[in-house]
Amino acid sequence: MAGLRRRLVKRRIRIRRTRGRRLRRALVVLLALLANLVGAAVVAYHLTKIPEPHPETAMQSTVFVDDHGDYLGRRGPVDRQEVPLSQVPRYVQEAVIAAENRSFRTDTGISPKAIARAAWATVSGGDRQGGSTITQQYVKNALLSPEQTLSRKAREALISIKLDRTRSKDEILQGYLNTVYFGRGAAGIQSAARNYFGVDAKDLTVSQGAALASVINIPSYYEKAGSDPKVTAKLVDRWEWVLDAMADSGAITSAQRAGARFPAFRFYPPGDTDGQRQYLIDAAASEAADRLGITEDQLARGGYTVRTTFDLTAQDATAELAADGTGKKTGEKTGEKTAEEKAAEAKAGGKKQAEVTTTGDVRVHTAVVALVPGDGAVRVLYGGADYASQPFNDARDGAVEAGTALQPFSGMKLLAPLTDLTRTAAPTPLRLASAYATAAAHGVYATPYTVAKITRAGRTLYEAHPRTRTAMTRADAGMVAKFLYGRSDAPLATQTGAAGLRTLWQTTYDEHLTLTVALFAEHPAKGKKAALPAPLPYTAGSRSLSVAEGVWSKIVGTAEGHDPAAEPNPGLPTGQTKPILATR
């Protein structure tokens, strides 16, 4: 026992004597390890390059709006449009910061706590952790893959730090706001503003901005707000939390906070948009691509805003008026004609509508074109009842037998581009409307156009100007007007024409507007059997008149008391007044 005690005492003495040396060695090893880690981090930092954004995050959609700026539709693989930060109100920026990363303006681009939490969750197999800084979210969503691995998380941190040191906070916030997903298919603040509230990002209110910021947390869940009471209630709680944070930070005033009301969301999911608007988008997309010298695919992915010449209110009214039988199958009518049918027959130039026996279903097509004489802006282009079932645009591309619709131009010397008009058996409704618009503008032909302006990221890339030329003499234009006014007691020039019983045309014009309605019928194709022309039903005349009068009234009625005579129009001949629709 004594020997064992002596050995233990000697060992303790030796340990005490060497403790300092061993501590120094351990410290050296620790410092060396730390130095290596720091060195590796420094090397990794310098070797790390900020990658280019993913191709899909660089893609944008092109948005189409009508003449008033009302949303018409979009084209493109991703519902996203970039906007400069200057077009996002400051309070909207602060709402996103309050919801996602309140230290954004002062942090270094990373959150060590969030990184440690995510790393531990990965190692331990726990739930995935998020809550990174705005910079990290931007890096993850736009520059890296979303996979949850330690190596990707480390790379995310390095890129975030480097991004924060080499880019301004505004640049990072702009990139984030243009790529973050808001639900409802919207990537970026501009598309989100349209999809949730029907406005541009620059027009968002404090309440709307706070609501969008609140959605970012769980976009696939909150996108149903406005239609699902439970989701809406939960989002309201988060919205209140965001507004409170904004008020505490001074981003909004106490009065703004007190006056905030939860905004009304657009209904979701949206209804079918294939019906009418795709006809308009087709026409405008083709023209816009041509004006920019690019393909339609490049246009769709380019993030442009195309302001069209269309009037959606008038277009919708046209669709409603033309819906009765348009594009629908209906049995042909036989028997005694009513007084209404006889009046329609008289309107058609006295043509005898022979009674026809029902030989099968008949599909009645209606095409409507409204444009501005001397300018060429197309306000209405109704080419079919439903794009999904008939993508072909009857108004723009359909060849409809003219018959007596061309009678006023007979024997007249027409110049290009109307030279061969009277030799064209079946012009398109758009071309016939252009010819009458030329007469309305005292012989000045204006090339029809559907695109008024193209912008991208706030820059104007194209702006339309009337392209005019003389296509008939002023005297001949006067003869057309005399011919039309002489055949009608109406205060407007009106021509009703037909090609037998197969087609019916009606054109009405004055110096401000030209409106053409064309009706034709067919037996729909069945199997291998092609579609065949069919006689129009007796109601065609009354339908044509109803559509023409209703559309004319709707368009002119939207002028809101404008006196067109008080405003000269450089696109028209001297003395001619400005078209009503061009004053808006």
Side-chain angles (χ1 to χ4, degrees), residues 60-64 73-75 81 299-306:
Q60 302 182 62
S61 62
T62 285
V63 167
F64 297 81
R74 72 173 183 90
R75 284 280 169 87
Q81 275 198 307
L299 177 81
R301 298 168 182 267
Y304 302 94
T305 296
V306 178

Side-chain angles (χ1 to χ4, degrees), residues 15 59 279 336 423 518 577:
I15 289 173
M59 289 180 187
Y279 289 112
E336 184 66 26
R423 297 191 300 272
T577 56

Side-chain angles (χ1 to χ4, degrees), residues 106-313:
T106 57
D107 63 34
T108 60
I110 64 169
S111 169
K113 288 183 179 179
I115 292 175
R117 189 169 60 245
W120 173 250
T122 301
V123 171
S124 63
D127 293 335
R128 292 191 308 171
Q129 297 292 315
S132 313
T133 64
I134 281 176
T135 306
Q136 286 177 272
Q137 289 184 57
Y138 173 62
V139 169
K140 178 180 68 175
N141 295 333
L143 309 181
L144 296 177
S145 65
E147 60 181 336
Q148 296 291 317
T149 63
L150 285 175
S151 60
R152 193 210 55 79
K153 200 69 180 176
R155 190 166 178 236
E156 174 192 303
L158 288 171
I159 294 174
S160 298
I161 294 171
K162 198 162 193 174
L163 197 67
D164 189 77
R165 292 171 65 89
T166 57
R167 308 273 176 87
S168 69
K169 290 290 188 181
D170 280 354
E171 286 180 280
I172 296 169
L173 185 59
Q174 176 176 293
Y176 176 76
L177 288 174
N178 278 319
T179 55
V180 67
Y181 184 63
F182 284 88
R184 296 196 174 190
I189 189 71
Q190 173 72 354
S191 294
R194 285 191 182 279
N195 289 3
Y196 281 89
F197 302 113
V199 300
D200 289 323
K202 62 183 177 61
D203 298 320
L204 287 167
T205 65
V206 170
S207 293
Q208 290 171 337
L212 288 181
S214 303
V215 164
I216 296 173
N217 180 242
I218 321 175
S220 60
Y221 177 76
Y222 288 132
E223 68 182 2
K224 300 178 185 66
S227 58
D228 185 315
K230 182 179 178 182
V231 173
T232 304
K234 189 170 182 179
L235 184 60
V236 169
D237 290 341
R238 185 167 173 80
W239 173 79
E240 296 271 8
W241 174 73
V242 169
L243 285 174
D244 287 342
M246 293 174 70
D248 290 342
S249 68
I252 57 174
T253 65
S254 56
Q256 286 176 305
R257 174 65 187 95
R261 297 292 181 271
F262 191 73
F265 280 36
R266 297 179 73 186
F267 179 76
Y268 185 80
D272 181 17
T273 60
D274 282 341
Q276 268 300 303
R277 300 190 176 191
Q278 292 302 326
Y279 289 112
L280 307 184
I281 294 173
D282 268 1
S286 175
E287 185 176 324
D290 183 64
R291 295 291 177 264
L292 295 176
I294 59 178
T295 66
E296 289 191 45
D297 185 61
Q298 289 172 320
L299 177 81
R301 298 168 182 267
Y304 302 94
T305 296
V306 178
R307 192 181 191 95
T308 69
T309 61
F310 302 122
D311 183 329
L312 268 182
T313 301

Side-chain angles (χ1 to χ4, degrees), residues 274-277 279 315 318-319 322-323 326-327 364-368 381-396:
D274 282 341
Q276 268 300 303
R277 300 190 176 191
Y279 289 112
Q315 183 76 26
T318 303
T326 300
V364 178
H365 292 253
T366 303
V368 183
L381 191 67
Y382 180 88
D386 184 10
Y387 185 91
S389 59
Q390 179 197 300
F392 184 82
N393 190 322
D394 286 329
R396 185 180 68 158

Side-chain angles (χ1 to χ4, degrees), residues 325-333 356-365 502 520-524 526 532-537 543:
T326 300
K328 297 177 182 178
K329 294 179 180 179
T330 176
E332 294 180 67
K333 195 173 180 181
V356 288
T357 306
T358 301
T359 57
D361 290 336
V362 172
R363 188 182 298 275
V364 178
H365 292 253
R502 298 178 298 278
F520 65 96
E522 67 177 11
H523 295 294
K526 290 184 179 180
L532 296 172
L536 285 165
R543 182 185 306 159

Side-chain angles (χ1 to χ4, degrees), residues 374 408-409 412-415 435-445 469-483 509 511 569 571-577:
F409 302 101
M412 188 180 296
K413 184 179 180 180
L414 299 174
L415 305 177
Y436 279 99
T438 301
H442 309 298
V444 176
Y445 175 87
R469 61 186 301 172
T470 300
M472 67 178 69
T473 66
R474 192 178 184 90
D476 281 343
M479 289 297 294
V480 173
K482 185 177 180 180
F483 181 86
Y509 76 72
E511 292 183 337
N569 181 1
L572 298 179
T574 304
Q576 187 169 339
T577 56

